[in-house]
Amino acid sequence: MRSIGDRVLERIRQARPDARQQDIAREIDMTPDAFSRALNDRRAFSSIELARLADLLGADLHWMITGRVDPHRLVVAARHTFDHASGRRGVPAREADQRLLEDIALAYRQAYPVPGEVARAPVAPPLPQSPGEMRVVLGEDFVRPFAERLEAHLGIGVVRLPGLSTAYSLAIGAYRVIVLPGTGNWFRENWSLAHELGHLVHGHHEDGASEAEWNRREAAANAFAAELLLPRDLLGAVEWVSLDSAGLADLVWRRGVSIDALARRLNAVCGELPAVVDEWVGQTTQRLLRRHWASRTGDDEITTRMQAAARRRFPLELTEAHLARIATGALGKETLAWMLGVDPDEVEVDTPSVPEVNVDDLVEVLGH
């Protein structure tokens, strides 16, 4: 049977292959001798030493101790912001975001305390591995109800929270979740959903990833998103020479992308921009739509999409699971209220009934 020391050594080889053991020991406030003896099972690691190791190596503390993955572990499968001008990736507000991600993970742990225990727990079928297969599973015109299709067809929960700096994809135990910032930018949201979906399909996670590996994963997720939203064969079928501004507006509306995203994709696929795209590439997508796209219903669908992309959102199944556990008395209302963005006192839900107490009987009991 493998020991804790064996698992620590395995994780060091994965995350810090070039690091010396004595350097790792010093980083977690252990002497090199004590660290060596613990690795060789001649001494036990203390709980604080293991916690520091898990943090340093990006490891699952539960796995290091037991050899089994923590069923409720939060793994940030991906994160991204990309500055096209500088070519740099990063998340300046990651520390603040982490608190929100931990709150989301808590909501899942409270709803599904034991994997598989709750009948209404989301089902997570295998993910299609190619953008073409993914489009078939999600169905026609999936970009408008993108989040709903991901939940209904793939069991991927979608959360939207104002205040988040960027999009993330998570594994919370057995549950796959994409988290979006509530910005009102619906075409950027579509790209983020497709990008994070690519990370989930490829099984990306941040544990031990080098800068080069991080960049490779980001490129792979972007390639997946580009082919999902703007497939090569679709772009090849467009009559770009005769396309006018109204046709361009209709195209970006139906595909749910920005002019900038379309231009970058066309440059990658064709090596040049059609005249109508080149005309609009320096302007905003909203400007193009407001001037040249007409709603078939007569409603202001552009504003409707913006409002939806700014609205706080949690999966319906997660909300229902909280309601069910509150009704049994297993949970309070605080987390559900946070999910809804309201004060707990404003949440009216079924709670276990409290038996009425006869005051005379209570006095008699207390008197004895």
Side-chain angles (χ1 to χ4, degrees):
M1 181 179 295
R2 300 176 66 215
S3 66
I4 291 177
D6 292 332
R7 289 188 285 275
V8 171
L9 281 169
E10 177 185 334
R11 188 60 195 154
I12 290 173
R13 285 192 291 269
Q14 293 172 341
R16 300 281 294 274
D18 299 324
R20 299 183 303 172
Q21 289 186 11
Q22 56 262 43
D23 294 333
I24 292 177
R26 293 189 182 96
E27 287 185 66
I28 61 170
D29 293 330
M30 290 182 71
T31 65
D33 177 66
F35 188 57
S36 176
R37 287 188 289 114
L39 290 175
N40 290 284
D41 301 317
R42 296 198 302 271
R43 167 194 185 278
F45 282 106
S46 71
S47 58
I48 188 63
E49 290 165 351
L50 283 173
R52 288 170 179 165
L53 267 172
D55 184 60
L56 177 67
L57 302 175
D60 179 354
L61 179 59
H62 188 275
W63 170 79
M64 288 174 63
I65 296 171
T66 68
R68 298 184 299 274
V69 175
D70 183 351
H72 294 305
R73 185 188 179 210
L74 169 63
V75 179
V76 181
R79 74 271 194 204
H80 75 281
T81 53
F82 182 64
D83 185 336
H84 289 285
S86 67
R88 294 179 179 176
R89 293 185 172 91
V91 181
R94 176 58 194 275
E95 185 176 341
D97 287 352
Q98 185 65 28
R99 292 192 291 271
L100 289 174
L101 300 181
E102 291 290 351
D103 288 341
I104 294 167
L106 176 63
Y108 271 87
R109 292 176 187 132
Q110 290 179 335
Y112 312 116
V114 178
E117 180 182 73
V118 180
R120 284 179 290 183
V123 177
L127 296 179
Q129 293 299 294
S130 73
E133 294 171 329
M134 186 66 73
R135 284 195 300 274
V136 171
V137 170
L138 293 177
E140 291 293 324
D141 300 322
F142 65 85
V143 293
R144 177 67 187 275
F146 204 163
E148 289 78 5
R149 296 281 180 90
L150 287 173
E151 290 174 350
H153 299 310
L154 296 171
I156 298 174
V158 178
V159 173
R160 186 190 299 112
L161 280 177
L164 205 65
S165 72
T166 188
Y168 295 85
S169 45
L170 317 174
I172 304 172
Y175 304 106
R176 298 177 297 222
V177 184
I178 294 176
V179 185
L180 304 165
T183 65
N185 192 328
W186 54 269
F187 41 85
R188 181 172 295 173
E189 176 170 297
N190 283 336
W191 188 271
S192 293
L193 280 169
H195 179 99
E196 302 305 336
L197 182 57
H199 280 303
L200 291 173
V201 166
H202 292 306
H204 295 160
H205 54 82
E206 65 176 312
D207 289 356
S210 64
E211 185 70 20
E213 175 62 13
W214 183 10
N215 289 336
R216 186 194 68 78
R217 292 174 181 178
E218 287 294 296
N222 262 337
F224 186 94
E227 183 61 23
L228 179 66
L229 297 175
L230 295 167
R232 185 179 293 263
D233 57 354
L234 178 141
L235 295 179
V238 175
E239 295 291 340
W240 294 105
V241 174
S242 59
L243 195 72
D244 59 9
S245 295
L248 179 63
D250 186 65
L251 176 62
V252 298
W253 176 263
R254 286 186 292 105
R255 304 313 301 180
V257 299
S258 66
I259 301 170
D260 181 67
L262 175 62
R264 292 182 188 282
R265 178 63 168 160
L266 284 169
N267 268 324
V269 171
C270 307
E272 60 181 358
L273 294 182
V276 67
V277 179
D278 190 52
E279 175 189 349
W280 280 97
V281 72
Q283 304 182 60
T284 67
T285 305
Q286 293 286 3
R287 181 184 179 92
L288 171 67
L289 292 173
R290 293 291 183 187
R291 291 192 172 194
H292 296 285
W293 184 82
S295 170
R296 292 172 176 80
T297 66
D299 299 327
D300 186 355
E301 295 183 69
I302 299 173
T303 299
T304 298
R305 280 196 183 186
M306 291 174 61
Q307 290 174 335
R311 194 174 298 128
R312 197 179 191 91
R313 183 190 194 281
F314 280 83
L316 179 60
E317 291 86 350
L318 183 66
T319 303
E320 290 178 340
H322 270 263
L323 287 169
R325 299 203 74 220
I326 292 169
T328 66
L331 279 182
K333 300 186 295 183
E334 289 75 16
T335 301
L336 177 62
W338 171 75
M339 290 162 59
L340 298 175
V342 299
D343 188 275
D345 292 337
E346 297 178 16
V347 179
E348 294 187 7
V349 296
D350 288 333
T351 56
S353 58
V354 179
E356 293 186 6
V357 178
N358 185 292
V359 176
D360 293 334
D361 291 342
L362 180 61
V363 170
E364 182 178 349
V365 170
L366 293 175
H368 290 291

